[in-house]
Amino acid sequence: MTALSKSWERAVVPLFILAAWEVFSRSGFLPAALLPAPSVVLHTWGDWMFGFDETSQGNTGRWFADALSSATRVAAGYGIAVVSGVLLGIAIGWWRWVERTVEPTIQMLRPVPPVSWIPLAIIWFGIANKPAIFLVFLGAFFPILMNTIHGVKTADRNLIRAASMMGATEQQLLRHVVFPAALPSIFAGLRIGIGAAWMLTVTAEMVAVKSGLGYVLWDSYYFLRYDLVLAAMASIGLLGYATDALIKVLMSAALHWQHGSTLQSREG
């Protein structure tokens, strides 16, 4: 299958949705202000990016600054979640005493919705980047942690025994056997976590900061600028898609030893 045909397959569903949306919006079934057509949203989005006719008013030409603010918060919160989630997940999965002492607390905190931490986050960190980063961390941490624990616990026991019989130390076992075996699960957690990070970034920017894509989305809602609301939603979706694609590239490089032996190897 050629690259052109693969690109066409990926574009079929989005193009169909956009065409149906354009027709429905212009049919008059709903007021155009409540459901702007994709062409209107695209025009507003373009002005938000490049500022050619001030359609987006106070936000004209500010898209890159807003996207950078959101991406910075995602990078900070997600980075902390990756480091802490992977390290703690390996410790819980490998050492039984860590599992007995730490996991009950983790399991009690995990069901608490991250948005319920917003009041405490604002009290602890104030109105700035810190509460937003904290909420992003909460959203990404638990998926990464739970998948890492699963990956460590499902490592092949025969491989661990074989390495032990060859004289491998505990540190060598963790580095050369357990961690590589857990990588597929860890990457699954990283992909789930990056989606949660973007969702929590928008939530945090609605209440805790005065910049970013989430702030523009919420501010536009108050001024009934639904074209800008939809442009902000599309921006978040595209950035989330791009970061997930980046993780998939890293996953493909890190799990090269799986190529040819899994269903994933069929993907081009």
Side-chain angles (χ1 to χ4, degrees), residues 46-127:
D47 179 67
W48 185 14
M49 279 189 173
F50 304 111
F52 45 74
D53 64 357
E54 298 189 356
T55 303
S56 55
Q57 297 177 331
N59 296 300
T60 184
R62 290 190 48 82
W63 186 89
F64 291 100
D66 291 323
L68 181 61
S69 296
S70 296
T72 301
R73 292 174 190 124
V74 168
Y78 184 71
I80 297 171
V82 170
V83 174
S84 58
V86 170
L87 291 179
L88 185 58
I90 291 174
I92 291 175
W94 182 251
W95 289 294
R96 297 296 300 272
W97 67 271
V98 178
E99 182 181 11
R100 289 193 299 270
T101 55
V102 176
E103 193 178 32
T105 304
I106 295 292
Q107 295 301 342
M108 283 191 291
L109 292 174
R110 189 166 65 91
V112 179
V115 293
S116 66
W117 289 87
I118 289 176
L120 290 177
I122 293 175
I123 291 171
W124 292 340
F125 303 112
I127 303 295

Side-chain angles (χ1 to χ4, degrees), residues 10-264:
R10 292 189 178 99
V12 165
V13 173
L15 289 176
F16 175 78
I17 292 174
L18 288 174
W21 176 8
E22 183 80 28
V23 171
F24 182 79
S25 179
R26 294 186 180 280
S27 68
F29 189 78
L30 286 175
L34 296 182
L35 183 62
S39 55
V40 176
V41 174
L42 190 62
H43 182 90
T44 302
W45 198 358
D47 179 67
W48 185 14
M49 279 189 173
F50 304 111
F52 45 74
D53 64 357
E54 298 189 356
T55 303
S56 55
Q57 297 177 331
N59 296 300
T60 184
R62 290 190 48 82
W63 186 89
F64 291 100
D66 291 323
L68 181 61
S69 296
S70 296
T72 301
R73 292 174 190 124
V74 168
Y78 184 71
I80 297 171
V82 170
V83 174
S84 58
V86 170
L87 291 179
L88 185 58
I90 291 174
I92 291 175
W94 182 251
W95 289 294
R96 297 296 300 272
W97 67 271
V98 178
E99 182 181 11
R100 289 193 299 270
T101 55
V102 176
E103 193 178 32
T105 304
I106 295 292
Q107 295 301 342
M108 283 191 291
L109 292 174
R110 189 166 65 91
V112 179
V115 293
S116 66
W117 289 87
I118 289 176
L120 290 177
I122 293 175
I123 291 171
W124 292 340
F125 303 112
I127 303 295
N129 283 329
K130 290 180 180 177
I133 292 172
F134 175 69
L135 291 173
V136 170
F137 160 76
L138 285 178
F141 173 72
F142 290 108
I144 296 172
L145 174 70
M146 299 309 297
N147 279 277
T148 302
I149 294 173
H150 172 76
V152 173
K153 284 187 173 295
T154 55
D156 192 334
R157 183 183 290 270
N158 291 327
L159 290 177
I160 297 173
R161 285 177 176 170
S164 298
M165 291 174 64
M166 295 177 69
T169 63
E170 188 171 60
Q171 184 179 357
Q172 290 172 327
L173 285 175
L174 283 173
R175 181 179 176 183
H176 298 293
V177 179
V178 175
F179 181 69
L183 272 179
S185 295
I186 291 174
F187 272 106
L190 295 180
R191 294 188 65 189
I192 298 171
I194 192 63
W198 277 106
M199 286 190 283
L200 266 298
T201 298
V202 174
T203 303
E205 289 175 346
M206 287 179 177
V207 296
V209 294
K210 299 294 183 183
S211 63
L213 299 173
Y215 173 73
V216 173
L217 190 156
W218 197 240
D219 190 57
S220 302
Y221 161 72
Y222 279 119
F223 289 97
L224 305 180
R225 288 298 307 270
Y226 299 123
D227 52 346
L228 202 50
V229 169
L230 290 166
M233 292 170 64
S235 301
I236 294 161
L238 283 177
L239 289 174
Y241 179 81
T243 48
D244 181 70
L246 177 61
I247 293 175
K248 286 179 70 176
V249 171
L250 295 175
M251 181 175 68
S252 180
L255 302 180
H256 58 87
W257 45 271
Q258 281 191 331
H259 293 176
S261 61
T262 64
L263 287 176
Q264 183 178 318

